């Protein structure tokens, strides 16, 4: 038994770098991983969950209260693991335990018998009452936001008792299979599932053969590529416009296939668009699509249909994913088939062909069968559930949902008739299989069988619709064939499910799963040894709304299942949302809008519940990875109000930078694991002056530690919040000398200031970051802003995220944005970007007036701040005459010690635009602006950053003599120019144009 006052290993140290190597790799495992059982969003890697759990379960051997039994057992057992020498001192033992944790995080070591035996033995040694094994009761690990189950699964791996709860019924089904069914059914269960899966596949083959027939030449269709359509409204046209993002079908390096459009005009008939298949030799041979930013271009007359009219026409078609036939089953409109993807027996690779009448005939048959099914249900009085989902979609405005404006108002509207039929058949087969776990394969199939699935031109398969946590109406879509045995088929879904189940077997020790809100954990007081959770991230993911895509099919396959219901509202046909702990201002709970205040109070209740169920000597951990400051404040507010104190903070790299969000923004690569204890009821009142004295030292030492662990940029910024909160949260409240209570938001503002000053002092090689902003010789504002911007954008992987300037790739989800933006370009502007709130948090306490630099150094739109690349600064710096005129002047004699560019830069002053930021509620705001005269005056003053950028532009223009003259004058003038240039060289990302130019410029400086 670990004494209450004995520190746990995770409160003292943690192998950040080692675990950060292994955790992101899990997401690259295509199959044979527990996460492949079923989709759940923001699932934590097993590696980080396992490592942190061990740090929570084991005491620190250097603590004087560490049980001697644990230290003796650790010295004996660690010798069994290579590289984990326990040595002779407590410090040696601590180092060996950390080495073990880092090594055990490797994917292959998760099933290694030596690692398993040693880890379990040391957990037992730490928590046992004596050497008598009969008295040992394994520690109970509680996760009340269990979601995808990573934390409780790792608790089972370590032979702990496990209690996992979640309010969401889909999450509960995943948890039940993973934590209860797999341990109880044993190693022979996958074979039983394979047999049941074969029967499901056979039933699907038999019942769907007529709607997914083979071609006349024996080829097997594996996917159909469709486009929604609208009608051109230009006079004398009326042609049908297929809405196509991209005409590419296959974009592999060695094999390319695409569509070519042509217009067919017959006398006295409406022109029509026809298609041809071809093999392009070069990318430019493939034309662009017919729709961009919800604006449709008619191929026949070049007229452009506005987003409002596109939306109105699709609304009338209820989304437009189904073919519209006349009474004689002739196609009138609706979805248009573009191409069919097939496999030929004995041949490698996919083939593409144009559609035929037989393809439409099979769709007719599917629609007829669905109509018959619904008619029979209505004739029977509409008793019970409708055979196809008729539950309502979330209201317009719900985060992540954009389909309602296009006429899709029920969940069934997301599926074509043939997809509805397929899923209904598979759901019936799952119900008859007597293997409820196979409902997860049905969920995987549903994710691949909507009219929102894109065709992936590199992998040549349908994409899942929910991986981006958004449901939006893509103009064209891919319909996988569920009986094909290829991607998008029930056979593949079952195979991946069983592979995930096999990898999730960690022993016969079963956990306990229940459906419950985290605000009311169904456990007695002081029951848990560990409370370890990964709570929702503010308003980041609408879990309940997204999961309903699975839920509507789950409950049809398993009617009456006790987990597939709302435990708080028996009348609710969908998953629980009123008490779901996410901010969602489109909904109310007990008459109150679920706004930020509601979310913070709900999180406080959840944290208070965690404190209630935790034993006196227990410990907790909370995972957080949200990149918004509001999200962090909401979480931390809940922790403080829930009476927790933070005792450790470890940022662990858990995300792959290849994911969509990481490619486009400064998304966090790390998840911060906050170690916490219940704050004592008799905790002292803190003195604000003492807190402020301790904060800079704590933050500075932590920055040094994290950088040694290769944690960078935004990851480092947010990781500093944990150690800062260790100071603040140890007190029941913090007061100033006059008795004023310091609130959390006030303290966090000071934390941002301290982090910013520490960063400036480091990257600019000066102590000025720590001095008063107005002091003589302080670094100029624009240099501070640029340096902090680039420093924050550094990733833990050592790269800086840059916005793309070219047209989006046809596989890039961002290319299908359906918001109409007053004709704005689809392409993204060049430059580096950060969310406005992060920039504001740094700027304000460091004396940086953002309005002054708007349009000169940064540009703000829609709550995102873009750092202007130097190429865009050329016009404002040099004017219409360009760098040539400035170069000519510089090549003349420059007076020693003078400003060589004085009077040459900013020849044309343009009125500054307003900063368009965002309030916490997300509404547009305008920063307080100084007068136009003072701002224009400030812009005429050439700063050191302006002169560095001017030098880089001279370098880019090949003006060598002018550049040398400028550099010589700057060296004679002061050291500020060279210091800033060197700092920017270290901050600009490798491979960027700015990095190339500034390094080349620095080579021209005479040393």
């Amino acid at each position: 038994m670990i004494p209450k006052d004995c520190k746990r290993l995770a409160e003292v140290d943690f192998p950040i770098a080692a675990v950060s190597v292994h955790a992101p790799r899990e997401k690259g495992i295509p199959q044979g991983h527990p996460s492949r059982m079923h989709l759940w969003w923001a699932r934590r890697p097993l590696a980080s969950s396992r490592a942190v759990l061990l740090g929570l379960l084991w005491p620190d051997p250097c603590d004087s209260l560490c049980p001697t039994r644990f230290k003796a057992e650790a010295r004996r057992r660690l010798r069994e693991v290579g590289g984990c020498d326990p040595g002779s001192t407590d410090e040696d033992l601590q180092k060996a335990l950390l080495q073990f944790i880092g090594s055990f995080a490797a994917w292959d070591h998760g099933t290694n018998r030596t690692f398993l035996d040693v880890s379990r033995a040391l957990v037992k040694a730490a928590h046992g009452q004596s050497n008598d094994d009969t008295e040992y009761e394994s520690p109970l690990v509680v996760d009340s936001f269990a979601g995808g189950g990573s934390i409780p699964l790792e608790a089972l791996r370590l032979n702990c008792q496990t209690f996992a709860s979640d309010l969401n019924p889909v999450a509960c089904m995943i948890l039940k299979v993973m934590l209860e069914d797999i341990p109880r059914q044993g190693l022979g269960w996958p074979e039983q599932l394979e047999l049941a899966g074969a029967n499901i596949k056979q039933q699907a083959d038999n019942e769907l053969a007529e709607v997914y027939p083979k071609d006349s030449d024996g080829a097997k269709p594996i996917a159909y590529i469709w486009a929604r359509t609208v009608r051109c409204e230009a006079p004398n046209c009326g042609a049908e416009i297929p809405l196509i993002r991209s005409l590419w079908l296959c974009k592999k390096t060695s094999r390319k296939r695409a569509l070519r459009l042509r217009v067919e005009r017959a006398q006295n008939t409406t022109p029509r668009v026809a298609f041809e298949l071809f093999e392009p030799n070069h990318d430019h041979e493939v034309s662009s699509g017919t729709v961009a930013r919800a604006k449709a271009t008619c191929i026949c007359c070049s007229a452009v249909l506005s987003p409002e009219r596109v939306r109105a026409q699709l609304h009338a078609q209820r989304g437009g994913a189904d073919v519209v036939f006349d009474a004689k089953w002739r196609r009138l409109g609706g979805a248009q088939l573009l191409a069919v993807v097939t496999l030929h027996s004995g041949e490698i690779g996919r083939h593409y062909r144009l559609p035929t009448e037989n393809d439409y005939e099979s769709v007719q048959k599917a629609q007829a069968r669905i109509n018959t099914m619904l008619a029979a249900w209505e004739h029977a009085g509409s008793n019970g559930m409708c055979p196809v989902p008729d539950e309502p979609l979330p209201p317009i405005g719900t985060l992540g949902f954009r389909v309602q404006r296009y006429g899709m108002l029920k969940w069934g509207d997301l599926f074509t008739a043939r997809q509805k039929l397929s899923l209904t058949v598979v759901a019936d087969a799952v119900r008859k299989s007597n293997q409820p776990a196979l409902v997860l394969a049905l969920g995987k199939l549903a994710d691949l069988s909507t009219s929102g699935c894109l065709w992936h031109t590199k992998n040549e398969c349908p994409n899942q619709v929910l991986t981006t946590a958004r449901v939006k109406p893509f103009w064209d879509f891919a319909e996988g064939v569920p009986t094909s045995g290829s991607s998008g088929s029930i056979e593949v879904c079952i195979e991946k499910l069983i592979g995930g189940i096999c990898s999730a077997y960690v022993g016969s020790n079963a956990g306990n799963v229940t459906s419950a809100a985290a605000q009311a954990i169904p456990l007695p007081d002081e029951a848990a040894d560990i409370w370890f959770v990964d709570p929702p991230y503010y308003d980041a993911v609408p879990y309940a709304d997204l999961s309903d895509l699975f839920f509507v099919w789950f409950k049809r396959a398993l009617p009456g299942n006790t987990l597939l219901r709302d435990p708080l509202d028996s009348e609710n046909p969908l998953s629980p949302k009123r008490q779901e702990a996410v901010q969602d201002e489109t909904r109310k709970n007990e008459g109150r809008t679920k706004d930020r205040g509601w979310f913070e109070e709900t999180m406080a209740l959840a944290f208070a519940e965690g404190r209630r169920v935790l034993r006196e000597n227990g410990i907790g951990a909370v995972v957080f990875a949200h990149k918004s400051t509001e999200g962090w404040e909401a979480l931390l507010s809940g922790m403080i109000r829930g009476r927790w104190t933070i005792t450790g903070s470890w940022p662990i790299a858990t995300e792959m930078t290849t994911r969509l969000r990481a490619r486009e923004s400064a998304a966090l690569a790390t998840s911060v694991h906050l170690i916490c204890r219940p704050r004592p009821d008799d905790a002292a009142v803190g003195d604000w002056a003492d807190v402020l004295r301790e904060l800079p030292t704590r933050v500075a030492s932590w920055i040094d530690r994290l950088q040694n662990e290769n944690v960078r940029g935004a990851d480092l910024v947010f990781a500093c919040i944990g150690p800062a909160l260790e100071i603040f949260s140890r007190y029941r409240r913090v007061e100033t000398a006059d008795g004023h209570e310091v609130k959390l938001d006030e303290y966090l503002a000071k934390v941002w200031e301290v982090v910013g000053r520490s960063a400036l002092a480091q990257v600019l090689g000066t102590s000025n970051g720590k001095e008063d902003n107005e002091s003589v010789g302080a670094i100029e504002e624009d240099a501070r802003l640029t340096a902090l911007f680039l420093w924050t954008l550094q990733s833990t992987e050592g790269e800086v995220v840059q916005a793309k300037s070219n047209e989006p790739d046809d596989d890039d989800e961002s290319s299908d944005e359906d918001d109409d933006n007053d004709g704005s370009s689809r392409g993204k502007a060049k430059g580096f970007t950060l969310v406005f709130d992060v920039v504001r948090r740094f700027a304000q306490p460091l004396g940086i007036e953002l309005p002054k630099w708007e349009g000169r150094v940064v540009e703000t739109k829609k709550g995102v701040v873009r750092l202007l690349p130097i190429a865009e600064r050329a016009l404002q710096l040099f004017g219409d005459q360009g760098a040539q005129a400035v170069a000519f002047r510089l090549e003349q004699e420059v007076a020693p010690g003078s400003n060589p560019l004085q009077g040459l830069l900013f020849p044309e002053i343009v009125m500054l635009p307003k900063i368009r930021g965002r309030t916490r509620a997300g509404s547009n705001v305008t920063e307080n602006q100084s007068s136009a005269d003072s701002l224009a005056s400030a812009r005429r003053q050439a700063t050191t950053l302006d002169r560095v950028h001017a030098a880089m532009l001279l370098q880019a223009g090949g003006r060598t003599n002018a550049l040398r003259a400028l550099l010589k004058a700057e060296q004679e003038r002061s050291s500020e120019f060279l210091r800033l240039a060197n700092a920017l060289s270290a901050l600009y990302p490798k491979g960027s144009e700015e990095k190339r130019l500034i390094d080349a410029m620095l080579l021209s400086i005479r040393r």
Side-chain angles (χ1 to χ4, degrees), residues 326-481:
D326 64 14
K328 295 183 179 180
W329 292 105
R330 291 174 298 194
R331 180 181 178 276
L332 286 178
Q336 182 175 8
L337 190 54
L338 304 180
V340 181
V341 190
T342 65
L343 291 178
H344 290 251
S345 179
E347 296 184 25
I348 298 176
R350 284 150 167 72
H351 297 260
Y352 296 84
R353 66 168 174 81
L354 295 175
T356 66
E357 287 300 320
N358 289 336
D359 296 316
Y360 284 107
E361 183 181 348
S362 62
V363 175
Q364 299 167 12
K365 294 177 180 178
Q367 289 189 8
R369 285 176 60 177
I370 285 291
N371 292 338
T372 300
M373 188 185 303
L374 292 174
W377 175 68
E378 293 170 357
H379 182 73
S382 302
N383 293 322
M385 280 186 290
C386 179
V388 297
D390 60 348
E391 295 85 350
L393 280 164
I396 291 177
T398 300
L399 180 68
F401 284 78
R402 303 186 180 184
V403 295
Q404 299 92 331
R405 294 179 295 171
Y406 295 85
M408 291 174 265
L409 304 177
K410 297 180 179 180
W411 278 102
D413 295 337
L414 297 182
F415 306 90
T416 69
R418 191 156 54 175
Q419 289 171 333
K420 293 174 188 174
L421 179 64
S422 301
L423 291 167
T424 301
V425 167
V426 173
D428 180 65
V430 169
R431 182 169 56 252
K432 295 175 180 176
S433 70
N434 294 320
Q435 291 287 357
L438 291 174
V439 77
L440 299 182
L442 172 64
K444 293 173 74 68
L445 182 64
D447 196 17
L448 287 162
S449 301
T450 78
S451 62
C453 294
L454 295 176
W455 179 249
H456 198 295
T457 59
K458 302 286 177 59
N459 297 336
E460 295 185 277
C461 65
N463 271 347
Q464 296 167 278
V465 71
L466 290 184
T467 50
T468 58
R470 299 166 74 184
V471 178
K472 56 187 294 186
F474 293 113
W475 313 115
D476 50 72
F477 62 93
E479 177 194 8
V481 177

Side-chain angles (χ1 to χ4, degrees), residues 201 211 236 294 368 430 454 534 556 578 663 668 740 756 764 779 798 883 920 931 979 1004:
K201 170 69 164 57
V211 298
N236 304 319
V430 169
L454 295 176
D534 177 20
R556 283 166 171 79
R578 286 191 301 106
R663 291 202 308 265
L668 299 186
H740 164 71
L764 295 175
I779 301 166
R920 292 184 179 184
S931 69
R979 184 173 66 179
S1004 301

